[in-house]
Amino acid sequence: MVVGRVVAVVVGVVTLVASVVFGLLALVESAVLAAVKAVWLSRRVRDLLSLLDEARNYGEYALLARELDRLTGREAWKKDDGDDTLYDAPGVAKRTAALAQARADGDWMALVSLLRKGTLRNVGGIGNPQLYAHTYVGTKRVVEAYVREVVAGLRALAVIKPESPVALAEAADASAGDGSVAMASFPLAGGLALPTGGVITSSISNFALSTVLHGGLAPGELASFGEDTDLESIGVGRGLADRKARGNPFASHQDKFNFFYEVRQSYGRSSLLLSGGASNGMYHLGIIKTLFEAQLLPRVISGSSAGALVAAMVAVRTDDELPGLFLPHAINLNAFDSLGPGGTFRKIKRLVTQGVLMDITKLEACLRDNIGDVTFVEAYRRTGRILNITVSSTQTKHRSRLLNYLSAPSVLIWSAALASCAIPYVYAPVEIVEVSPDGQTMPWEPSGELWMDGSIYHDLPMARLSELFNVNSFIVSQVNPHVVPFLSAPRLRTTRLPSRFLAALGYVVTSEVRHRLSQLARLRLLPAVLAQVIPLLEQTYKGHITFIPQLGLSDYLYVISNPTQDLISNAIDRGQRTAWEKLDRLEASTRIERELEALVQALRREINSATAAAVLSASAPATPRGS
């Protein structure tokens, strides 16, 4: 027992020292980047970068980013379709041309074949993150044209009726064109004076994200759709003309639905994964706010530790309720108000006497206040969001579990989130509880097993999400304090040298530490307590798209502290700015996926409506002859 208390104290001291070291590293990185910016960049570019940091919404950010791309020659890079070092430019261009030709000719059989075998997430390497590392916003025109043409082809097929095929008019529906508009047509909130002159006003809230990213929408083209969208309301079929087509690809309405469903399954789906990170987990709220407002928030959401807390609060709220979560004082923190002064002494005393820093009953009260007594399956049925929470067993042979409406339908969400937040030596491990068929709460595991921090073994449960929900694109919000210093990339995109140097340094340090600790663990030369660190080092902490905030010294010093309203508000603002930097890439990478989802849902509703109508017609009493 005494040894355990000593180890707990040592771990607390090491955590504090590590926090200070990482915080100082963050300050050094910021200073280096500021010096590079002052020496290497022109004054005009520096002014634009300053305005970029002060942007009030994504509309302003995107406009300034486009201007920076123009001034630094990135626009010319986007138009260079001969550059095939990062992806198969000729191959992607050929695919685009083939799709466009089949659509223009009304050759639906060929279009179905091309889309079925070619609608892949990373076809020709278009998912290469380096395609978005050279610019402040947007990417190669060849890539953008391919995505637009796939969307146009899907919409053209969606309006074909099995009994009455139609074809596209050659002169209409230029959905694969550049659709460019003047910069003055971009909407901004409040009004922004550009360095190039002129003031732009109005609001961005009612405009699709594609308007800002790609310079305007083609006729009938929208960026994303809601759950209740029907085919006509989203502009599908606009510009179509009745003329003879080269064969109908669909034998029936069910056959048509099956095509879109199978293509969607083949394409896969995206998931948002929220990492652990103690108090830094509040940055997740800013990421989610930005994705929700841009209609880019995935239905599948996973959270570990602090990420589980945020994911749970999101998953129990409908789309109408979610905006309220980001308002000031929306999160109830009353559970922490009764703590009173003397927090540091109280934590030290608890660490020595109980082996943990903080009282988990306060966190439980906070979770119940903000989540309620809702089970996984109840939340799924109410909101349609697929919540996943990782928890780790205190029994090493059991390792971790991923809880969701399939694996733990009757588990209370607040209970799962509480267990996932139980960081060793910070919070005590807890039981997970579920609701029995008669409405009573009971332990989830009859053995009385205790559960703790979900990020120990699976901060980002990618493999399990792939197995259960067909996820093959992982969007990560990473705020773990021991991970961010080695993953974060400089925001300065106009020079590659600092970025490459810091990335290489981080890789060398992390790989060397990981390798040496693994060797010691295998030789049984590592103390049991330190051996628990190995799983933290061997995990993958990045996704296909990873949002990483710029953490400062204060973020490390107060990483283990109770949340406050000021901390939450600041984290939401900084989280939003972090999301803006990669929002263009997220929109482009999920556009086909969102289109397929919208069409599948619309076609499913059509089939269900037709089936219901047929049933009603068959059950209606026959009209008497002569009446």
mmCIF file of all heavy atoms in Angstrom, residues 422-455:
data_model
loop_
_atom_site.group_PDB
_atom_site.id
_atom_site.type_symbol
_atom_site.label_atom_id
_atom_site.label_comp_id
_atom_site.label_asym_id
_atom_site.label_seq_id
_atom_site.Cartn_x
_atom_site.Cartn_y
_atom_site.Cartn_z
ATOM 1 N N ALA A 422 -11.725 8.009 -16.291
ATOM 2 C CA ALA A 422 -11.033 7.655 -15.045
ATOM 3 C C ALA A 422 -9.553 7.407 -15.303
ATOM 4 O O ALA A 422 -9.075 6.271 -15.358
ATOM 5 C CB ALA A 422 -11.690 6.424 -14.414
ATOM 6 N N ILE A 423 -8.795 8.498 -15.446
ATOM 7 C CA ILE A 423 -7.359 8.421 -15.687
ATOM 8 C C ILE A 423 -6.672 7.842 -14.449
ATOM 9 O O ILE A 423 -6.929 8.294 -13.327
ATOM 10 C CB ILE A 423 -6.784 9.824 -15.983
ATOM 11 C CG1 ILE A 423 -7.547 10.474 -17.128
ATOM 12 C CG2 ILE A 423 -5.300 9.753 -16.291
ATOM 13 C CD1 ILE A 423 -7.190 11.939 -17.332
ATOM 14 N N PRO A 424 -5.799 6.844 -14.608
ATOM 15 C CA PRO A 424 -5.113 6.273 -13.441
ATOM 16 C C PRO A 424 -4.383 7.337 -12.625
ATOM 17 O O PRO A 424 -3.740 8.222 -13.188
ATOM 18 C CB PRO A 424 -4.131 5.284 -14.075
ATOM 19 C CG PRO A 424 -4.774 4.884 -15.363
ATOM 20 C CD PRO A 424 -5.476 6.120 -15.852
ATOM 21 N N TYR A 425 -4.523 7.258 -11.316
ATOM 22 C CA TYR A 425 -3.908 8.163 -10.347
ATOM 23 C C TYR A 425 -4.531 9.562 -10.360
ATOM 24 O O TYR A 425 -4.160 10.400 -9.558
ATOM 25 C CB TYR A 425 -2.398 8.281 -10.552
ATOM 26 C CG TYR A 425 -1.701 6.948 -10.522
ATOM 27 C CD1 TYR A 425 -1.138 6.407 -11.670
ATOM 28 C CD2 TYR A 425 -1.629 6.214 -9.351
ATOM 29 C CE1 TYR A 425 -0.514 5.168 -11.653
ATOM 30 C CE2 TYR A 425 -1.014 4.972 -9.318
ATOM 31 C CZ TYR A 425 -0.459 4.460 -10.469
ATOM 32 O OH TYR A 425 0.154 3.227 -10.449
ATOM 33 N N VAL A 426 -5.475 9.799 -11.268
ATOM 34 C CA VAL A 426 -6.228 11.057 -11.253
ATOM 35 C C VAL A 426 -7.633 10.792 -10.721
ATOM 36 O O VAL A 426 -8.121 11.480 -9.825
ATOM 37 C CB VAL A 426 -6.284 11.698 -12.648
ATOM 38 C CG1 VAL A 426 -7.143 12.973 -12.621
ATOM 39 C CG2 VAL A 426 -4.884 12.022 -13.133
ATOM 40 N N TYR A 427 -8.306 9.782 -11.282
ATOM 41 C CA TYR A 427 -9.623 9.357 -10.812
ATOM 42 C C TYR A 427 -9.586 7.863 -10.502
ATOM 43 O O TYR A 427 -8.871 7.097 -11.162
ATOM 44 C CB TYR A 427 -10.709 9.609 -11.858
ATOM 45 C CG TYR A 427 -11.070 11.063 -12.050
ATOM 46 C CD1 TYR A 427 -10.826 11.698 -13.262
ATOM 47 C CD2 TYR A 427 -11.694 11.789 -11.040
ATOM 48 C CE1 TYR A 427 -11.187 13.014 -13.465
ATOM 49 C CE2 TYR A 427 -12.043 13.118 -11.229
ATOM 50 C CZ TYR A 427 -11.792 13.729 -12.438
ATOM 51 O OH TYR A 427 -12.136 15.035 -12.633
ATOM 52 N N ALA A 428 -10.389 7.444 -9.558
ATOM 53 C CA ALA A 428 -10.502 6.018 -9.224
ATOM 54 C C ALA A 428 -11.311 5.303 -10.300
ATOM 55 O O ALA A 428 -12.237 5.881 -10.877
ATOM 56 C CB ALA A 428 -11.178 5.855 -7.874
ATOM 57 N N PRO A 429 -10.992 4.039 -10.611
ATOM 58 C CA PRO A 429 -11.794 3.278 -11.572
ATOM 59 C C PRO A 429 -13.205 3.056 -11.037
ATOM 60 O O PRO A 429 -13.439 3.102 -9.823
ATOM 61 C CB PRO A 429 -11.027 1.967 -11.716
ATOM 62 C CG PRO A 429 -10.227 1.845 -10.464
ATOM 63 C CD PRO A 429 -9.880 3.246 -10.058
ATOM 64 N N VAL A 430 -14.156 2.807 -11.950
ATOM 65 C CA VAL A 430 -15.565 2.701 -11.548
ATOM 66 C C VAL A 430 -16.234 1.511 -12.221
ATOM 67 O O VAL A 430 -15.722 0.943 -13.195
ATOM 68 C CB VAL A 430 -16.344 3.988 -11.925
ATOM 69 C CG1 VAL A 430 -15.794 5.189 -11.180
ATOM 70 C CG2 VAL A 430 -16.297 4.215 -13.438
ATOM 71 N N GLU A 431 -17.397 1.165 -11.709
ATOM 72 C CA GLU A 431 -18.256 0.193 -12.363
ATOM 73 C C GLU A 431 -19.052 0.887 -13.468
ATOM 74 O O GLU A 431 -19.363 2.081 -13.363
ATOM 75 C CB GLU A 431 -19.244 -0.428 -11.363
ATOM 76 C CG GLU A 431 -18.731 -1.647 -10.642
ATOM 77 C CD GLU A 431 -19.830 -2.364 -9.883
ATOM 78 O OE1 GLU A 431 -20.726 -1.675 -9.350
ATOM 79 O OE2 GLU A 431 -19.785 -3.598 -9.803
ATOM 80 N N ILE A 432 -19.394 0.139 -14.498
ATOM 81 C CA ILE A 432 -20.296 0.628 -15.539
ATOM 82 C C ILE A 432 -21.668 0.051 -15.256
ATOM 83 O O ILE A 432 -21.806 -1.130 -14.929
ATOM 84 C CB ILE A 432 -19.805 0.210 -16.933
ATOM 85 C CG1 ILE A 432 -18.464 0.891 -17.243
ATOM 86 C CG2 ILE A 432 -20.834 0.561 -18.002
ATOM 87 C CD1 ILE A 432 -17.853 0.462 -18.554
ATOM 88 N N VAL A 433 -22.701 0.882 -15.351
ATOM 89 C CA VAL A 433 -24.059 0.427 -15.040
ATOM 90 C C VAL A 433 -24.944 0.486 -16.275
ATOM 91 O O VAL A 433 -24.708 1.279 -17.201
ATOM 92 C CB VAL A 433 -24.681 1.270 -13.907
ATOM 93 C CG1 VAL A 433 -23.882 1.128 -12.630
ATOM 94 C CG2 VAL A 433 -24.760 2.736 -14.312
ATOM 95 N N GLU A 434 -25.953 -0.390 -16.292
ATOM 96 C CA GLU A 434 -26.918 -0.435 -17.382
ATOM 97 C C GLU A 434 -28.329 -0.457 -16.816
ATOM 98 O O GLU A 434 -28.525 -0.597 -15.602
ATOM 99 C CB GLU A 434 -26.688 -1.669 -18.248
ATOM 100 C CG GLU A 434 -26.922 -2.991 -17.533
ATOM 101 C CD GLU A 434 -26.754 -4.180 -18.441
ATOM 102 O OE1 GLU A 434 -26.697 -3.994 -19.669
ATOM 103 O OE2 GLU A 434 -26.683 -5.313 -17.915
ATOM 104 N N VAL A 435 -29.302 -0.324 -17.702
ATOM 105 C CA VAL A 435 -30.709 -0.351 -17.297
ATOM 106 C C VAL A 435 -31.275 -1.718 -17.641
ATOM 107 O O VAL A 435 -31.196 -2.174 -18.790
ATOM 108 C CB VAL A 435 -31.509 0.748 -18.019
ATOM 109 C CG1 VAL A 435 -32.984 0.675 -17.612
ATOM 110 C CG2 VAL A 435 -30.944 2.121 -17.690
ATOM 111 N N SER A 436 -31.850 -2.383 -16.647
ATOM 112 C CA SER A 436 -32.425 -3.709 -16.851
ATOM 113 C C SER A 436 -33.762 -3.595 -17.578
ATOM 114 O O SER A 436 -34.329 -2.496 -17.690
ATOM 115 C CB SER A 436 -32.624 -4.398 -15.493
ATOM 116 O OG SER A 436 -33.590 -3.697 -14.729
ATOM 117 N N PRO A 437 -34.315 -4.708 -18.079
ATOM 118 C CA PRO A 437 -35.612 -4.658 -18.768
ATOM 119 C C PRO A 437 -36.739 -4.072 -17.931
ATOM 120 O O PRO A 437 -37.686 -3.497 -18.477
ATOM 121 C CB PRO A 437 -35.865 -6.132 -19.111
ATOM 122 C CG PRO A 437 -34.505 -6.734 -19.229
ATOM 123 C CD PRO A 437 -33.686 -6.041 -18.184
ATOM 124 N N ASP A 438 -36.654 -4.192 -16.610
ATOM 125 C CA ASP A 438 -37.710 -3.634 -15.761
ATOM 126 C C ASP A 438 -37.405 -2.205 -15.307
ATOM 127 O O ASP A 438 -38.083 -1.666 -14.420
ATOM 128 C CB ASP A 438 -37.951 -4.528 -14.540
ATOM 129 C CG ASP A 438 -36.698 -4.661 -13.661
ATOM 130 O OD1 ASP A 438 -35.643 -4.094 -14.048
ATOM 131 O OD2 ASP A 438 -36.770 -5.329 -12.610
ATOM 132 N N GLY A 439 -36.356 -1.591 -15.896
ATOM 133 C CA GLY A 439 -36.069 -0.189 -15.626
ATOM 134 C C GLY A 439 -35.155 0.080 -14.464
ATOM 135 O O GLY A 439 -34.932 1.248 -14.102
ATOM 136 N N GLN A 440 -34.582 -0.950 -13.863
ATOM 137 C CA GLN A 440 -33.681 -0.773 -12.730
ATOM 138 C C GLN A 440 -32.225 -0.690 -13.208
ATOM 139 O O GLN A 440 -31.861 -1.300 -14.211
ATOM 140 C CB GLN A 440 -33.828 -1.949 -11.756
ATOM 141 C CG GLN A 440 -35.240 -2.134 -11.222
ATOM 142 C CD GLN A 440 -35.727 -0.932 -10.422
ATOM 143 O OE1 GLN A 440 -34.994 -0.407 -9.582
ATOM 144 N NE2 GLN A 440 -36.951 -0.497 -10.690
ATOM 145 N N THR A 441 -31.414 0.084 -12.498
ATOM 146 C CA THR A 441 -29.993 0.152 -12.828
ATOM 147 C C THR A 441 -29.265 -1.007 -12.155
ATOM 148 O O THR A 441 -29.570 -1.358 -11.012
ATOM 149 C CB THR A 441 -29.374 1.483 -12.384
ATOM 150 O OG1 THR A 441 -29.560 1.653 -10.983
ATOM 151 C CG2 THR A 441 -30.012 2.644 -13.130
ATOM 152 N N MET A 442 -28.294 -1.551 -12.865
ATOM 153 C CA MET A 442 -27.546 -2.704 -12.364
ATOM 154 C C MET A 442 -26.157 -2.694 -12.989
ATOM 155 O O MET A 442 -25.931 -2.058 -14.017
ATOM 156 C CB MET A 442 -28.268 -3.999 -12.729
ATOM 157 C CG MET A 442 -28.519 -4.152 -14.223
ATOM 158 S SD MET A 442 -29.479 -5.624 -14.652
ATOM 159 C CE MET A 442 -28.278 -6.890 -14.268
ATOM 160 N N PRO A 443 -25.186 -3.370 -12.348
ATOM 161 C CA PRO A 443 -23.836 -3.414 -12.937
ATOM 162 C C PRO A 443 -23.858 -4.066 -14.319
ATOM 163 O O PRO A 443 -24.560 -5.060 -14.541
ATOM 164 C CB PRO A 443 -23.039 -4.249 -11.937
ATOM 165 C CG PRO A 443 -23.790 -4.127 -10.655
ATOM 166 C CD PRO A 443 -25.236 -4.036 -11.026
ATOM 167 N N TRP A 444 -23.107 -3.489 -15.245
ATOM 168 C CA TRP A 444 -23.032 -4.043 -16.592
ATOM 169 C C TRP A 444 -22.337 -5.401 -16.587
ATOM 170 O O TRP A 444 -22.758 -6.328 -17.276
ATOM 171 C CB TRP A 444 -22.294 -3.053 -17.492
ATOM 172 C CG TRP A 444 -22.139 -3.490 -18.914
ATOM 173 C CD1 TRP A 444 -23.127 -3.947 -19.734
ATOM 174 C CD2 TRP A 444 -20.936 -3.494 -19.694
ATOM 175 N NE1 TRP A 444 -22.622 -4.239 -20.984
ATOM 176 C CE2 TRP A 444 -21.271 -3.960 -20.983
ATOM 177 C CE3 TRP A 444 -19.624 -3.136 -19.424
ATOM 178 C CZ2 TRP A 444 -20.330 -4.089 -21.997
ATOM 179 C CZ3 TRP A 444 -18.688 -3.248 -20.432
ATOM 180 C CH2 TRP A 444 -19.032 -3.715 -21.711
ATOM 181 N N GLU A 445 -21.276 -5.519 -15.800
ATOM 182 C CA GLU A 445 -20.554 -6.776 -15.658
ATOM 183 C C GLU A 445 -20.900 -7.382 -14.296
ATOM 184 O O GLU A 445 -20.598 -6.804 -13.260
ATOM 185 C CB GLU A 445 -19.043 -6.553 -15.754
ATOM 186 C CG GLU A 445 -18.532 -6.303 -17.158
ATOM 187 C CD GLU A 445 -18.508 -7.562 -17.994
ATOM 188 O OE1 GLU A 445 -18.691 -8.663 -17.434
ATOM 189 O OE2 GLU A 445 -18.312 -7.459 -19.217
ATOM 190 N N PRO A 446 -21.556 -8.546 -14.272
ATOM 191 C CA PRO A 446 -21.943 -9.155 -12.986
ATOM 192 C C PRO A 446 -20.753 -9.438 -12.069
ATOM 193 O O PRO A 446 -20.903 -9.505 -10.851
ATOM 194 C CB PRO A 446 -22.612 -10.467 -13.418
ATOM 195 C CG PRO A 446 -23.026 -10.249 -14.829
ATOM 196 C CD PRO A 446 -22.005 -9.333 -15.424
ATOM 197 N N SER A 447 -19.566 -9.567 -12.649
ATOM 198 C CA SER A 447 -18.380 -9.873 -11.838
ATOM 199 C C SER A 447 -17.911 -8.690 -11.013
ATOM 200 O O SER A 447 -17.008 -8.827 -10.181
ATOM 201 C CB SER A 447 -17.241 -10.336 -12.744
ATOM 202 O OG SER A 447 -16.868 -9.306 -13.651
ATOM 203 N N GLY A 448 -18.516 -7.522 -11.231
ATOM 204 C CA GLY A 448 -18.085 -6.336 -10.495
ATOM 205 C C GLY A 448 -16.798 -5.736 -11.012
ATOM 206 O O GLY A 448 -16.101 -5.002 -10.293
ATOM 207 N N GLU A 449 -16.476 -6.003 -12.261
ATOM 208 C CA GLU A 449 -15.237 -5.500 -12.859
ATOM 209 C C GLU A 449 -15.233 -3.976 -12.899
ATOM 210 O O GLU A 449 -16.259 -3.347 -13.163
ATOM 211 C CB GLU A 449 -15.099 -6.066 -14.276
ATOM 212 C CG GLU A 449 -13.765 -5.786 -14.934
ATOM 213 C CD GLU A 449 -13.609 -6.579 -16.223
ATOM 214 O OE1 GLU A 449 -14.471 -7.428 -16.515
ATOM 215 O OE2 GLU A 449 -12.614 -6.340 -16.926
ATOM 216 N N LEU A 450 -14.063 -3.394 -12.651
ATOM 217 C CA LEU A 450 -13.917 -1.943 -12.668
ATOM 218 C C LEU A 450 -13.265 -1.508 -13.976
ATOM 219 O O LEU A 450 -12.453 -2.225 -14.564
ATOM 220 C CB LEU A 450 -13.077 -1.475 -11.479
ATOM 221 C CG LEU A 450 -13.646 -1.773 -10.091
ATOM 222 C CD1 LEU A 450 -12.704 -1.267 -9.014
ATOM 223 C CD2 LEU A 450 -15.033 -1.176 -9.926
ATOM 224 N N TRP A 451 -13.609 -0.287 -14.391
ATOM 225 C CA TRP A 451 -13.144 0.223 -15.689
ATOM 226 C C TRP A 451 -12.507 1.594 -15.512
ATOM 227 O O TRP A 451 -12.838 2.344 -14.601
ATOM 228 C CB TRP A 451 -14.321 0.306 -16.659
ATOM 229 C CG TRP A 451 -14.982 -1.017 -16.858
ATOM 230 C CD1 TRP A 451 -15.986 -1.555 -16.095
ATOM 231 C CD2 TRP A 451 -14.674 -1.991 -17.853
ATOM 232 N NE1 TRP A 451 -16.322 -2.803 -16.548
ATOM 233 C CE2 TRP A 451 -15.544 -3.092 -17.639
ATOM 234 C CE3 TRP A 451 -13.762 -2.048 -18.903
ATOM 235 C CZ2 TRP A 451 -15.506 -4.224 -18.441
ATOM 236 C CZ3 TRP A 451 -13.739 -3.176 -19.711
ATOM 237 C CH2 TRP A 451 -14.600 -4.254 -19.474
ATOM 238 N N MET A 452 -11.587 1.913 -16.442
ATOM 239 C CA MET A 452 -10.850 3.168 -16.325
ATOM 240 C C MET A 452 -10.600 3.763 -17.725
ATOM 241 O O MET A 452 -11.199 3.333 -18.712
ATOM 242 C CB MET A 452 -9.523 2.934 -15.597
ATOM 243 C CG MET A 452 -8.622 1.937 -16.280
ATOM 244 S SD MET A 452 -7.088 1.651 -15.362
ATOM 245 C CE MET A 452 -6.248 0.499 -16.441
ATOM 246 N N ASP A 453 -9.715 4.737 -17.762
ATOM 247 C CA ASP A 453 -9.409 5.553 -18.936
ATOM 248 C C ASP A 453 -9.371 4.747 -20.239
ATOM 249 O O ASP A 453 -8.568 3.837 -20.405
ATOM 250 C CB ASP A 453 -8.059 6.227 -18.709
ATOM 251 C CG ASP A 453 -7.733 7.261 -19.782
ATOM 252 O OD1 ASP A 453 -8.541 7.421 -20.712
ATOM 253 O OD2 ASP A 453 -6.683 7.905 -19.667
ATOM 254 N N GLY A 454 -10.237 5.123 -21.195
ATOM 255 C CA GLY A 454 -10.305 4.404 -22.459
ATOM 256 C C GLY A 454 -9.148 4.647 -23.386
ATOM 257 O O GLY A 454 -8.925 3.875 -24.331
ATOM 258 N N SER A 455 -8.387 5.713 -23.165
ATOM 259 C CA SER A 455 -7.296 6.039 -24.094
ATOM 260 C C SER A 455 -6.012 5.278 -23.794
ATOM 261 O O SER A 455 -5.041 5.398 -24.536
ATOM 262 C CB SER A 455 -7.010 7.550 -24.063
ATOM 263 O OG SER A 455 -6.515 7.945 -22.794
#
